[in-house]
């Protein structure tokens, strides 16, 4: 798998990341092990989790697999803090106390002495940004964190944090929802990231599964759309506009002799500023399907057609005068 620099940092990662949101829940430890091995065998290095996934179970499952199954040094280990909430004064948010407490918890569950990429899962309106950034700097200086990033920040939030971060702990990545069905970040987040040298890590690059085409004629019983937990998550992208885009992706896939999944993933992977889409999978077979996108490069005519069908309105001031 091809490697890319993560923003303006010295960290190189695979151009696809393995997401683990369902690990420890819908994805048991045996299936997680199979996915991790398949990903690493394909040349993947970036594995992403969060302290909130499965109330920490995702981190525990992943941590148990590192060492014996896959060498720790073969993995760029990424996790997130801020969203996890527990009782007590340090139970969540982006304050210094909450972040450093969350960091210790993640290290313990992951069974490691350092995290390669530690990300703020969300902007915290209740905490001064300088306090949050100072905690990130301390985490890097302590050696417990190598690089820092953010997730789900708007354009102004990303630019503010990037401008105020220190040379010791500059922001190197931002993880945002980005796909043919969700292009809102093209308005302000993508330009802000480019300006500050921050790499994009798209989550839900397959439009929460809708871009695979599996929902075109109904809701498969074994899909997330049929799950009481994820039905609303998938339904968000089941619109008339989405249906037109899915049809265009399917047409492109037929012409290229590949799958809609591979087309949709290749499109977002090669967007300006994107470093690595974060791909989650129900099982190893589904993950293998995503890995086939590594061999796909979309012809300019197809990329242009997909750009057009998925285009969003950009008004003043983003478009200029």
């Amino acid at each position: 798998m091809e490697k890319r620099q993560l923003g303006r940092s010295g960290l190189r990662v695979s151009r696809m990341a393995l997401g683990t949101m369902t690990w420890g829940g819908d994805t048991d430890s045996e299936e997680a092990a199979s996915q991790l091995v398949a990903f690493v065998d394909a040349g993947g290095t970036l594995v992403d989790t969060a302290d909130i996934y499965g109330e920490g179970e995702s981190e525990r499952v992943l941590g148990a697999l590192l060492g014996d199954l896959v060498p720790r040094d073969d993995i760029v280990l990424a996790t997130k803090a801020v969203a996890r909430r527990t009782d007590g004064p340090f139970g969540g948010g982006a304050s210094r106390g909450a972040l450093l407490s969350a960091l210790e918890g993640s290290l313990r569950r992951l069974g490691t002495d350092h995290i390669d990429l530690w990300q703020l899962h969300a902007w915290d309106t209740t905490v001064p940004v300088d306090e949050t950034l100072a905690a990130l700097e301390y985490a890097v200086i302590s050696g417990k964190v190598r690089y820092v990033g953010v997730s789900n920040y708007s354009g102004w939030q990303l630019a503010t944090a990037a401008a105020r971060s220190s040379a010791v702990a500059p922001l190197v990545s931002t993880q945002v929802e980005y796909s043919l069905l969700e292009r809102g970040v093209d308005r302000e987040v993508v330009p802000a990231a480019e300006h500050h040298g921050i790499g994009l890590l798209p989550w839900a690059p397959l439009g929460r599964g809708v871009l695979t085409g599996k929902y075109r004629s109904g809701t498969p019983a074994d899909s997330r759309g049929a799950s009481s937990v994820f039905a609303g998550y998938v339904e968000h992208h089941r619109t008339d506009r989405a249906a037109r885009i899915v049809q265009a992706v399917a047409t492109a896939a037929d012409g290229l002799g590949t799958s809609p999944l591979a087309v949709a993933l290749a499109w977002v992977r090669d967007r300006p500023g994107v470093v690595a889409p974060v791909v989650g999978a129900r099982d190893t077979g589904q993950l293998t399907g995503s890995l086939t996108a590594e061999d796909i490069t979309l012809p300019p005519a197809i990329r242009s057609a997909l750009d057009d069908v998925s285009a969003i309105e950009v008004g003043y001031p983003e478009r200029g005068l």
Side-chain angles (χ1 to χ4, degrees):
M1 192 179 299
E2 185 180 317
K3 306 300 188 293
R4 291 173 171 172
Q5 298 296 128
L6 187 57
R8 290 186 195 144
S9 78
L11 181 60
R12 295 178 70 248
V13 300
S14 54
R15 65 175 183 172
M16 184 185 300
L18 178 61
T20 65
M21 183 175 68
T22 62
W23 288 20
D26 291 345
T27 304
D28 62 25
S29 58
E30 183 176 345
E31 175 57 38
S34 177
Q35 290 186 24
L36 183 61
V37 169
F39 180 69
V40 173
D41 284 350
T45 61
L46 180 57
V47 181
D48 180 73
T49 185
D51 62 357
I52 198 174
Y53 294 167
E55 295 297 320
E57 283 303 309
S58 175
E59 288 184 328
R60 291 190 186 93
V61 169
L62 177 56
L65 299 177
L66 298 179
D68 293 337
L69 185 67
V70 173
R72 169 67 179 87
D73 291 343
D74 288 354
I75 295 297
V76 177
L77 185 57
T79 193
K80 311 179 197 74
V82 174
R84 184 177 174 84
R85 301 282 175 176
T86 58
D87 292 336
F90 304 125
S95 69
R96 184 195 314 273
L99 284 174
L100 297 182
S101 177
L103 176 59
E104 294 300 330
S106 288
L107 290 170
R108 183 174 61 253
R109 288 185 293 272
L110 289 164
T112 186
D113 63 356
H114 72 279
I115 290 164
D116 298 307
L117 177 63
W118 195 38
Q119 303 154 100
L120 301 174
H121 212 154
W123 178 271
D124 190 337
T125 60
T126 68
V127 178
V129 67
D130 288 338
E131 176 180 340
T132 298
L133 295 173
L136 297 187
E137 182 174 337
Y138 174 82
V140 171
I141 292 172
S142 72
K144 295 177 180 179
V145 168
R146 299 293 192 256
Y147 295 90
V148 294
V150 297
S151 180
N152 301 311
Y153 273 35
S154 67
W156 75 264
Q157 290 167 348
L158 179 64
T160 298
R164 300 181 76 90
S165 64
S166 71
V168 173
L171 301 184
V172 302
S173 67
T174 182
Q175 194 171 144
V176 288
E177 183 172 6
Y178 194 16
S179 73
L180 280 160
L181 300 186
E182 181 53 83
R183 294 187 57 184
V185 295
D186 280 331
R187 294 188 179 95
E188 292 190 346
V189 174
V190 172
E194 180 183 15
H195 180 76
H196 289 282
I198 295 170
L200 296 167
L201 301 174
W203 61 264
L206 298 175
R208 310 189 184 193
V210 174
L211 286 166
T212 64
K214 71 172 102 179
Y215 297 107
R216 293 173 73 188
S217 58
T219 302
D222 62 348
S223 69
R224 284 184 178 178
S227 162
S228 59
V229 176
F230 289 106
Y233 173 82
V234 174
E235 196 65 26
H236 177 77
H237 285 317
R238 297 181 72 176
T239 64
D240 290 341
R241 172 182 177 271
R244 292 192 295 272
I245 296 171
V246 171
Q247 181 57 53
V249 170
T251 299
D254 287 342
L256 294 172
T258 187
S259 68
L261 181 156
V263 169
L265 195 52
W267 180 87
V268 72
R269 182 199 64 206
D270 294 331
R271 291 290 292 172
V274 168
V275 177
V278 181
V279 177
R282 182 182 65 252
D283 52 41
T284 306
Q286 194 176 71
L287 175 62
T288 300
S290 294
L291 294 172
T292 62
E294 180 66 18
D295 300 323
I296 301 294
T297 299
L298 298 181
I302 288 180
R303 175 167 289 279
S304 178
L306 293 175
D307 289 348
D308 289 345
V309 75
S310 65
I312 58 170
E313 182 178 353
V314 178
Y316 175 85
E318 293 85 11
R319 69 162 186 253
L321 295 175

